[in-house]
Amino acid sequence: MDRTVVAVLFGGRSSEHSISSATAGGVLRAIDRSRFDVLPIGITRDGAFVLEDDDPDKFALRPEHLPEVVDNGTRIIWPDSVLSREVKVADATGIRSLGDVDVVFPILHGRFGEDGTVQGFLELLDLPYVGAGLLMSAIGMDKHTTKQVLKAAGVPVVPWATLTRAELDRDRELWERRVRSLGLPVFVKPARAGSSVGVSKVSEWSELGAALETAFAEDRTVLVEQAVTGREIECGVLQGRDGAPPRVSVAGEIVISGREFYDFDAKYLDAPGIDLVCPADLHPGELAEMQRIAARAFEAVGGEGLSRVDFFYTGTEFFVNEVNTMPGFTPISMFPTCWIASGMTYPDLISELVDLARER
């Protein structure tokens, strides 16, 4: 039987380029080669689609070197209509066929990939792809829109204020008053970024200005969220098969012991001060409630493919912090860790995502 050809798409123009590349390295290493042929396609920081090496070690995430897609002079040529799934590559020797692609796995984090842009491109080409569709991707990428949708669906979310630089410049006193009404401490975040890029914790109001500037460097819209005292709990969600309800993993917990919050270095560079515990110590009733809310949140934003749902748990209530529609797959990432703890292997998880894409 012919193997399914999976085009793994990674890198991209966002500030999470290196995390995407590292995630791709994890997938290249773990994907079931008895079932799948892999076509690695990198996107440079300038947006060029290049044929990359099928080498997981090249994209390993190390503190002294973050992986990157560099322009090697090749150019991917996508199908010229929906009547074809043939992908070609142009290089110094000319143009040659890479064969037909069955599924695209867009392992892209942040803007220009996780936000519906690449999903729309693939839908124009009628190429099946892993993960959330265009609308779900766009909703999940924008933290303000996600919160609005979840709140309308009855999912508890953390109180927040959203502002733009123009609004702040027009009436800074008004917006600072609204932000201060949330109380201290607060978290300041870009509306459309992930991996804790541009995120600051503000414990004194004198820190607010610098935190806003850090967030505005990533996006023109910024959220200020009320800090919640409680445990940080995460879980993975997979779309159900044949119209069945979503499947939710066991919970993982982020235990903060020596850092202000779960920042970039802790997430991806294994910096000290953070312990990831999976499965988290929850009573059966607590776990069931978390899984119920996670499934509700997943369905509220579109219910396609996969997501990682992040919570704050106060001991009496679960607040959804974020719904991440393309979570990291690095070796220390919580999404695969939770599914492995739920009884699924890493290769089986990747296979399931590809099969879901083909089924859809």
Side-chain angles (χ1 to χ4, degrees):
M1 186 174 65
D2 292 338
R3 289 192 290 266
T4 299
V5 178
V6 180
V8 178
L9 192 59
F10 60 96
R13 291 172 53 198
S14 84
S15 57
E16 297 174 78
H17 177 103
S18 291
I19 300 308
S20 171
S21 300
T23 294
V27 171
L28 291 177
R29 190 181 304 279
I31 194 167
D32 186 350
R33 301 290 178 148
S34 69
R35 287 194 59 196
F36 306 113
D37 286 331
V38 177
L39 180 62
I41 299 176
I43 306 176
T44 69
R45 292 185 185 274
D46 295 327
F49 290 81
V50 302
L51 181 62
E52 260 293 0
D53 299 321
D54 188 0
D55 179 7
D57 292 335
K58 181 178 179 180
F59 303 106
L61 189 61
R62 301 186 298 272
E64 69 277 10
H65 174 72
L66 298 179
E68 184 163 347
V69 176
V70 298
D71 193 340
N72 57 22
T74 63
R75 289 295 181 270
I76 294 295
I77 302 172
W78 293 96
D80 55 12
S81 80
V82 298
L83 300 178
S84 171
R85 288 188 177 176
E86 183 184 18
V87 173
K88 302 176 184 178
V89 62
D91 56 24
T93 64
I95 297 175
R96 59 187 172 90
S97 175
L98 297 172
D100 289 355
V101 167
D102 297 304
V103 176
V104 178
F105 198 150
I107 307 175
L108 295 160
H109 305 311
R111 299 181 66 188
F112 313 114
E114 194 180 350
D115 58 357
T117 51
V118 164
Q119 288 76 15
F121 169 70
L122 295 173
E123 290 190 15
L124 282 173
L125 297 177
D126 199 25
L127 286 174
Y129 59 90
V130 170
L134 192 159
L135 180 59
M136 182 178 173
S137 297
I139 291 172
M141 189 71 238
D142 190 299
K143 295 179 179 65
H144 174 72
T145 302
T146 297
K147 285 177 176 291
Q148 286 185 313
V149 170
L150 294 180
K151 188 175 181 180
V155 176
V157 295
V158 177
W160 83 102
T162 303
L163 63 154
T164 64
R165 186 182 290 279
E167 289 171 332
L168 189 63
D169 291 343
R170 189 163 55 243
D171 196 337
R172 191 177 189 94
E173 182 181 349
L174 170 66
W175 283 102
E176 287 198 359
R177 189 163 63 247
R178 289 179 178 177
V179 167
R180 286 170 182 260
S181 71
L182 296 170
L184 285 172
V186 294
F187 284 94
V188 180
K189 304 177 179 180
R192 291 169 294 180
S195 301
S196 296
V197 175
V199 177
S200 303
K201 182 178 181 179
V202 172
S203 300
E204 301 291 341
W205 290 122
S206 59
E207 302 165 351
L208 179 62
L212 288 171
E213 288 305 313
T214 298
F216 278 130
E218 291 295 325
D219 194 10
R220 63 179 179 270
T221 303
V222 167
L223 272 71
V224 183
E225 294 177 343
Q226 185 181 94
V228 175
T229 301
R231 299 164 65 185
E232 294 193 31
I233 306 290
E234 300 182 352
C235 65
V237 184
L238 289 172
Q239 180 181 348
R241 289 291 197 101
D242 300 318
R247 294 162 285 173
V248 185
S249 73
V250 300
E253 182 170 4
I254 301 158
V255 180
I256 302 173
S257 56
R259 305 183 81 82
E260 279 290 307
F261 64 98
Y262 191 31
D263 59 11
F264 182 94
D265 288 351
K267 283 182 178 179
Y268 299 109
L269 303 181
D270 206 17
I274 298 289
D275 293 315
L276 302 183
V277 179
C278 188
D281 183 15
L282 294 174
H283 296 304
E286 293 172 318
L287 177 61
E289 176 66 0
M290 182 218 67
Q291 291 174 325
R292 181 191 70 80
I293 297 173
R296 181 71 188 111
F298 179 74
E299 291 182 316
V301 299
E304 297 173 308
L306 71 155
S307 72
R308 191 193 70 233
V309 181
D310 303 346
F311 294 90
F312 294 119
Y313 180 46
T314 65
T316 58
E317 189 170 9
F318 287 95
F319 290 93
V320 172
N321 182 33
E322 290 188 30
V323 179
N324 190 315
T325 60
M326 185 51 72
F329 279 81
T330 66
I332 60 172
S333 294
M334 189 67 89
F335 180 82
T337 299
C338 285
W339 280 112
I340 291 168
S342 301
M344 186 178 286
T345 68
Y346 196 172
D348 285 346
L349 176 59
I350 295 169
S351 297
E352 177 65 10
L353 291 171
V354 174
D355 290 342
L356 281 171
R358 298 198 75 181
E359 180 182 286
R360 185 175 68 189

